[in-house]
Amino acid sequence: MSAECRECRAGLDHCHGTIIRHSLRRWECTEPDCVSPELLVHTFVIDCDAVGCECAEAAYESLTHRVGA
């Protein structure tokens, strides 16, 4: 049994962090050394409001204001 994950053992490009998807800015990863916050190399993805970010709410408000205009 190995302590490495399957992707590590296979030598595949991946990240052990979680992607935080922002509505108003670039997505970010929870791993400080991750240089590519794209979905392909990450297993876990959450929306930014799950960590207390307010940009999703601001994006929603800007959409609702345009609909009524």
Side-chain angles (χ1 to χ4, degrees):
M1 187 149 187
S2 173
E4 287 185 316
C5 75
R6 184 178 302 165
E7 287 87 359
C8 286
R9 287 192 310 265
L12 299 174
D13 184 26
H14 69 288
C15 180
H16 295 126
T18 299
I19 286 290
I20 301 172
R21 294 188 303 187
H22 290 281
S23 299
L24 298 177
R25 57 188 173 110
R26 186 173 188 228
W27 295 0
E28 63 182 318
C29 178
T30 57
E31 288 292 311
D33 59 340
C34 180
V35 293
S36 71
E38 286 79 27
L39 287 175
L40 296 177
V41 296
H42 293 84
T43 303
F44 303 108
V45 180
I46 61 172
D47 291 327
C48 67
D49 59 345
V51 293
C53 181
E54 297 176 355
C55 79
E57 185 177 318
Y60 176 76
E61 287 177 6
S62 70
L63 287 174
T64 58
H65 290 302
R66 281 192 273 162
V67 171

